[in-house]
């Protein structure tokens, strides 16, 4: 937890400095070229942008940890409100893609390991290679052409109905499902060759109990690692998919904020993604100890 706090602090510092030292005056962009320099200077003073960078960062960071990300320069609304609306959409998309990736990835990985060396294994691994190689935005366009424009099974863009999420979820989740499948296969193959698995077979246990209860459970450490880190990738990857499908989530919000040099909104969006990623890494560490008692006992012994 202490490391997580340190990471959040470093990300906030780097983000703030990077956005405030790049060329471009957000006040000038906001007010347009017709505003005179005196008016621009007055607005910059009112917004506190003429103060030293360390003082600006301290004020911003203090407000941020209290849940106040400021007011959007372009939209004149609290950043928290704008992020809340976008997060609801992006969270639905990313959450659906994450569940899709977990279910498909683990299922394919287990099947490939159980049928190792067979035609099923080679076919599933070939599909996983294709899935990893296909960028999400390219797959999104292909899905639109086939299932929206040609077959007309799903809407082309927008999120008017829950069905509208189907194609974006698939486009976003396929690449991560393929990664999870390959890791699951490797982990399961290591476990299936262990002595305790042979003993379980010799006892005549149900094959499903052996595979899922003994095999998959002991292969969870690398699967948890890849699954935990993939959530952050899914959140960032969703920005491109949202753009292709014209979904009003974090992608569109941050893209508009970058074009308008809307610093509070950009900083708030970056910190939102950082918070989610850091929380996932902490949860992964906790799950390690829950799944493998050796990790928990090792930590207790060292303490």
């Amino acid at each position: 937890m202490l490391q997580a706090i340190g990471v959040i602090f470093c990300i906030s510092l780097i983000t703030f400095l990077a956005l405030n030292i790049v060329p471009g005056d957000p006040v000038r962009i906001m007010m347009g070229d017709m505003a005179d320099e005196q008016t621009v200077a007055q607005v910059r003073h009112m917004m506190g942008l003429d103060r030293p960078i360390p003082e600006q960062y301290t004020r911003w960071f203090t407000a941020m940890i209290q849940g106040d990300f400021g007011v959007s320069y372009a939209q004149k609304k609290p950043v928290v409100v704008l992020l809340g609306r976008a997060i609801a959409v992006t969270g639905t998309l990313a959450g659906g893609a994450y569940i899709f990736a977990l279910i498909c990835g683990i299922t394919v990985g287990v099947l490939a390991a159980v049928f190792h060396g067979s035609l099923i294994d080679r076919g599933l691994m070939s599909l996983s290679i294709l899935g990893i190689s296909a960028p999400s935005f390219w797959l999104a366009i292909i899905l639109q052409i086939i299932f929206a424009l040609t077959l007309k099974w799903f809407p082309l863009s927008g999120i008017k109905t829950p069905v509208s999420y189907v194609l974006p979820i698939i486009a976003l989740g396929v690449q991560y499902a393929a990664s999870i499948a390959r890791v699951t296969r490797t982990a399961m193959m290591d476990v299936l060759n262990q002595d305790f698995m042979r003993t379980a077979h010799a006892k005549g246990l149900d094959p499903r109990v052996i595979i899922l209860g003994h095999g998959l459970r002991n292969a969870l450490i690398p699967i948890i690692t890849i699954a935990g880190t993939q959530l952050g990738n899914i959140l960032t990857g969703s920005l491109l998919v949202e753009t292709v499908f014209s979904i009003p989530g974090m992608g569109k919000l941050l893209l508009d904020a970058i074009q308008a040099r809307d610093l509070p909104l950009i900083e708030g969006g970056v910190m939102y993604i950082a918070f989610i990623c850091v929380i996932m890494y902490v949860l992964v560490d906790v799950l390690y100890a829950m799944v493998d008692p050796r990790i928990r006992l090792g930590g207790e012994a060292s303490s």
Side-chain angles (χ1 to χ4, degrees):
M1 291 300 297
L2 291 176
Q3 289 177 344
I5 295 173
V7 169
I8 290 295
F9 171 77
C10 291
I11 292 175
S12 69
L13 181 60
I14 294 172
T15 301
F16 186 87
L17 292 178
L19 291 175
N20 281 273
I21 63 176
V22 295
D25 186 352
V27 177
R28 172 61 67 182
I29 296 175
M30 179 177 60
M31 300 189 66
D33 296 333
M34 300 301 295
D36 60 84
E37 289 299 328
Q38 183 178 359
T39 303
V40 171
Q42 291 176 349
V43 174
R44 188 181 294 115
H45 176 74
M46 293 173 57
M47 299 172 64
L49 297 178
D50 58 345
R51 297 174 181 175
I53 294 295
E55 181 180 347
Q56 291 186 45
Y57 172 75
T58 301
R59 291 167 59 91
W60 172 76
F61 185 79
T62 302
M64 182 195 68
I65 60 177
Q66 297 175 0
D68 181 10
F69 288 90
V71 177
S72 168
Y73 292 164
Q75 303 191 41
K76 313 299 183 186
K77 296 179 181 179
V79 172
V80 174
V81 174
L82 298 174
L83 288 178
R85 297 173 182 172
I87 287 171
V89 177
T90 298
T92 302
L93 172 59
Y98 190 62
I99 295 173
F100 170 82
L102 284 177
I103 294 175
C104 293
I106 293 176
T107 301
V108 169
V110 171
L111 289 174
V114 171
F115 296 99
H116 172 60
S118 68
L119 185 61
I120 295 176
D121 178 26
R122 291 194 292 270
L124 292 176
M125 287 302 98
S126 297
L127 289 176
S128 69
I129 293 175
L130 290 175
I132 293 175
S133 305
S136 58
F137 68 88
W138 176 83
L139 184 58
I141 296 173
I142 297 300
L143 291 175
Q144 281 182 322
I145 294 174
I146 296 175
F147 295 101
L149 292 177
T150 304
L151 298 177
K152 301 186 184 302
W153 289 356
F154 299 97
L156 179 64
S157 61
I159 50 169
K160 298 178 181 179
T161 63
V163 179
S164 305
Y165 281 102
V166 174
L167 293 184
I169 284 175
I170 295 175
L172 181 59
V174 162
Q175 192 174 52
Y176 305 106
S179 299
I180 294 174
R182 295 183 65 82
V183 172
T184 301
R185 176 182 179 272
T186 302
M188 282 293 296
M189 287 178 57
D190 291 339
V191 172
L192 292 176
N193 292 325
Q194 298 295 322
D195 291 337
F196 71 89
M197 293 295 290
R198 299 189 186 97
T199 302
H201 281 287
K203 289 181 177 180
L205 296 178
D206 189 320
R208 291 173 296 181
V209 175
I210 297 174
I211 298 298
L212 300 178
H214 296 279
L216 184 58
R217 181 178 180 182
N218 285 275
L220 281 179
I221 291 296
I223 297 174
I224 289 175
T225 302
I226 186 68
T229 56
Q230 291 290 30
L231 181 58
N233 297 332
I234 286 179
L235 284 171
T236 54
S238 67
L239 306 184
L240 292 175
V241 174
E242 288 175 5
T243 302
V244 174
F245 284 96
S246 299
I247 296 176
M250 288 291 296
K252 185 177 186 304
L253 187 69
L254 287 179
L255 181 62
D256 293 343
I258 292 172
Q259 293 175 342
R261 195 82 160 80
D262 194 341
L263 299 186
L265 192 52
I266 300 173
E267 292 162 352
V270 171
M271 293 309 301
Y272 152 73
I273 296 175
F275 276 127
I276 297 296
C277 292
V278 170
I279 289 173
M280 283 306 303
Y281 291 138
V282 173
L283 290 178
V284 166
D285 287 340
V286 173
L287 288 175
Y288 282 164
M290 294 176 61
V291 172
D292 191 344
R294 295 173 298 178
I295 297 177
R296 182 172 63 252
L297 294 176
E300 293 173 353
S302 62
S303 60

